Amino acid sequence: MAKITLDNLAHSYMSNPRGDQDFALKKTTHVWDDGEAYALLGSSGCGKTTLLNIISGLLRPSQGRILFNETDVTYAPTAERNIAQVFQFPVVYDTMTVRDNLAFPLRNRGASSSYIAQRVQEIAKLIGLEDDLNRKARGLTADVKQKISLGRGLVREDVNAILFDEPLTVIDPQMKWELRTQLKSLHHELGHTMIYVTHDQTEALSFADRVVVMSEGQVVQIGTPEELFEAPAHTFVGFFIGSPGMNLLDAQVEGDKATIGATEIALPAGFGTPVGKVQIGVRPEYTRLAASGGLPVKVNRVEDVGRHKIVRAEYFGKAINLIVDEGTEIGTDMTQVVFDPAKVNVYVDDWRVQGEAA
Amino acid sequence: MDKTVNQKAWFLVLPVLVLVAFSAVIPLMTVVNYSVQDTFGDNVFFWAGLDWFREMLESERMWSALGRQAVFSFIILMIEVPLGVIVALQMPKKGFWASFALVVMALPLLIPWNVVGTIWQIFGRVDIGLLGYVLHSLGIDYNYTQGFFAAWITVIVMDVWHWTSLVALLAYAGLQSIPDAYYQAAKIDQASRWAVFRYIELPKMQGVLMIAILLRFMDSFMIYTEPFVVTGGGPGNSTTFLSIDLVKMALGQFDLGPAAAFSLMYFLVILLISWVFYTVMTNLDKRDGV
């Protein structure tokens, strides 16, 4: 088990990167605390897998260092790092039985056969494959194969970290939920550092203590699920997390007031007079429709999703989503959106700015 | 929906039937025809029944040719298959050098058999051939026209030179189909190089290797041109393989009856061995699946 430090790490797949845009992973400095469960969240192609492969040593970074505890392992081969990694698509050794597959990483490390037998049995129980241990891995279905891959990742107890690269993509929803819960309890039990890559926010938020959000090769925010929801540090986080995502509107900000068109909106604190691309961001959960006192919008439609209603509206072509209680009647005269002043965030050039205490 | 019944569809099969009849069935039946008759010339034939088959089965000449043939095929399979796999493992996976290696590997396969024979015939000559001359100057007694071992070694090395590429290219295709994730997972699992070969590369190559072995077996079992050009079957009968012997019998001595019987049995032997190969290997495959 180890604390993993990324020190000014960057990676480009090109041999002569010329600017920022050529980097799959932009300069990142970050410490993964020992024993925490992290989720690495971001859309496809944002550099999550690149970062993971650098940690496990499958990829050598173009710049920067990576340390396990205080040891520099930037150039250490994968085998020396003692890391477990589970890939997106199942990798099994076809000609081996399920038992041999699970035992393989232990055998390669020269563990005793009694220990291997006991450990394989435990893992098989965990992934629900106790009855299939003697079957050949060839010809099993994709989700069983993925469970085997998962099992191989978990079988070593002394690993420095376990990395999961969207491991549940091929597993059906019911089993997905079950395995995720098991992974989480396993984390509590064993205390391994776990990094779980996903593009599914539910998966990320339910698995991890801390979520690392990445966008275009950059870590944009690290925080608890609550922090990501209440105070997204970057417009991408606001937009990416939440369903629907945060409403972002261009505005002029002066002191504790924002102006959109002719409408004044109260802000929770003073922000001075920021320059650049200024936007305010409000979660759909903190908005309501009213007849007056808000931003005049055009309501396009109302979707009833059961627990609540989603109101799809627009303000001069810019979409605004509202989440209102199931019981709320929506009258035809209710064409203005009112924001909860305490929950309005201000963004300058996509980054959140902290208000001065009022 | 009811299926339309249209007997005219048979006409569509006709071209294939005609083609197969002329290319395979009729020639084969001609041979069958010769194998059960005897002639003293003038196109007069007598019924001979199975006499020729009996004679051939008792012929020491045929059995020793078969023996030599079996030893030859066995040796070249034992060399070419492992060597081809080793070569395939060393070939670059992508980029310019991968294409370059592919072209170089494909070159021997493009050379006609008799040219290969001629190349080695000259290459091995003691008076003007590079190989023969060098070996001779080093004091090694190498002369494929006189020495039994020299002749065998020349013929085997020539076949290895000509055909290892085929095994290598097939094995390479098998290797290329392995996703990177397998190698990555093996690294994570701390697998040794041998384990990667044994549990990842070999299983993925199994199918193509089976094809390679079958092809190489059939081809080597029917080999004619190359050894004929180099050694002409000699010295003595030492490199007279089945095909060479057959041609001697059929065209050299004009013993059409025995030669026809011989070639039918030859055909059946190849068919039988290929079938056994195929069945054994597909069964291995199935057993793994359970």
Side-chain angles (χ1 to χ4, degrees), chain B residues 173-183 200-202 204-205:
Chain B
L175 285 175
Q176 288 291 64
S177 72
I178 303 174
D180 265 356
Y182 278 81
Y183 293 109
I200 297 176
E201 292 171 330
L202 199 56
K204 294 277 175 191
M205 280 194 290

Side-chain angles (χ1 to χ4, degrees), chain A residues 123-130 132 141-151 154 167-184 196 200 203 206-207:
Chain A
I123 293 296
K125 190 172 171 205
L126 186 79
I127 55 178
L129 287 180
E130 280 170 300
D132 298 312
T141 58
D143 62 329
V144 176
K145 284 186 178 177
Q146 187 63 345
K147 281 194 228 166
I148 297 173
S149 311
L150 212 54
L154 299 172
L168 304 180
T169 314
V170 294
I171 293 190
D172 66 80
Q174 174 57 30
M175 192 69 202
K176 211 179 220 176
W177 184 83
E178 207 173 291
L179 281 175
R180 202 161 56 215
T181 319
Q182 277 176 358
L183 284 181
K184 191 158 187 175
Y196 189 107
D200 178 342
E203 214 165 283
S206 63
F207 171 79

Side-chain angles (χ1 to χ4, degrees), chain B:
Chain B
M1 205 179 83
D2 285 331
K3 279 184 186 159
T4 324
V5 176
N6 187 344
Q7 300 295 351
K8 280 187 207 127
W10 288 108
F11 284 105
L12 298 176
V13 190
L14 204 62
V16 176
L17 281 181
V18 171
L19 210 67
V20 172
F22 274 96
S23 70
V25 180
I26 294 174
L28 185 66
M29 289 327 284
T30 319
V31 176
V32 171
N33 191 32
Y34 282 135
S35 73
V36 289
Q37 300 194 58
D38 194 4
T39 180
F40 299 107
D42 287 342
N43 249 352
V44 185
F45 286 88
F46 307 93
W47 176 255
L50 294 176
D51 281 356
W52 295 132
F53 289 92
R54 211 167 291 131
E55 189 182 313
M56 278 297 111
L57 281 176
E58 284 161 8
S59 142
E60 200 188 312
R61 172 178 166 184
M62 185 184 115
W63 284 109
S64 50
L66 181 66
R68 282 190 292 271
Q69 183 69 72
V71 171
F72 176 75
S73 286
F74 178 77
I75 292 178
I76 66 112
L77 279 180
M78 291 311 285
I79 298 177
E80 288 176 14
V81 174
L83 187 63
V85 170
I86 292 171
V87 169
L89 288 171
Q90 305 305 323
M91 281 165 71
K93 293 263 186 294
K94 50 182 166 244
F96 169 78
W97 291 109
S99 322
F100 181 79
L102 281 178
V103 171
V104 170
M105 292 306 289
L107 275 180
L109 301 176
L110 301 175
I111 301 175
W113 288 264
N114 53 353
V115 176
V116 172
T118 312
I119 291 174
W120 282 84
Q121 205 262 352
I122 295 172
F123 189 45
R125 278 174 67 162
V126 183
D127 50 354
I128 55 166
L130 186 60
L131 176 73
Y133 185 80
V134 168
L135 285 179
H136 192 72
S137 338
L138 290 175
I140 296 163
D141 181 24
Y142 169 84
N143 189 336
Y144 61 78
T145 55
Q146 282 156 27
F148 172 85
F149 283 108
W152 266 80
I153 288 170
T154 309
V155 172
I156 286 170
V157 170
M158 175 174 63
D159 198 83
V160 168
W161 177 84
H162 196 182
W163 290 110
T164 303
S165 290
L166 180 77
V167 182
L169 290 177
L170 283 168
Y172 184 69
L175 285 175
Q176 288 291 64
S177 72
I178 303 174
D180 265 356
Y182 278 81
Y183 293 109
Q184 297 181 338
K187 275 193 202 164
I188 298 284
D189 293 338
Q190 304 180 348
S192 61
R193 182 69 192 88
W194 167 249
V196 170
F197 176 71
R198 170 70 185 76
Y199 297 112
I200 297 176
E201 292 171 330
L202 199 56
K204 294 277 175 191
M205 280 194 290
Q206 197 184 8
V208 284
L209 279 186
M210 187 178 100
I211 294 169
I213 291 173
L214 257 182
L215 281 177
R216 279 319 296 137
F217 165 74
M218 288 192 303
D219 254 11
S220 67
F221 212 75
M222 297 187 288
I223 192 167
Y224 173 76
T225 318
E226 297 147 291
F228 183 77
V229 172
V230 178
T231 64
N237 273 335
S238 60
T239 55
T240 301
F241 301 124
L242 283 174
S243 282
I244 296 178
D245 205 17
L246 180 62
V247 171
K248 270 187 193 163
M249 193 185 290
L251 301 177
Q253 298 153 234
F254 225 71
D255 285 335
L256 288 185
F262 185 163
S263 49
L264 283 178
M265 290 191 288
Y266 191 3
F267 171 60
L268 289 178
V269 166
I270 291 182
L271 205 62
L272 181 77
I273 300 182
S274 299
W275 179 78
V276 169
F277 256 122
Y278 186 77
T279 321
V280 168
M281 287 175 140
T282 41
N283 278 349
L284 278 180
D285 223 32
K286 270 189 217 136
R287 197 195 56 195
D288 280 353
V290 180

Side-chain angles (χ1 to χ4, degrees), chain A residues 12 36 53 77 109 111 125 135-136 205 210-211 276 284 303 311 315 325 328 337 340:
Chain A
S12 170
E36 288 240 12
N53 287 346
R109 304 220 86 211
K125 190 172 171 205
R135 288 185 57 169
K136 287 262 182 194
L205 299 176
R210 288 158 79 67
V211 179
E303 293 165 11
V311 179
Y315 174 78
D325 285 339
T328 317
V337 178
D340 178 350

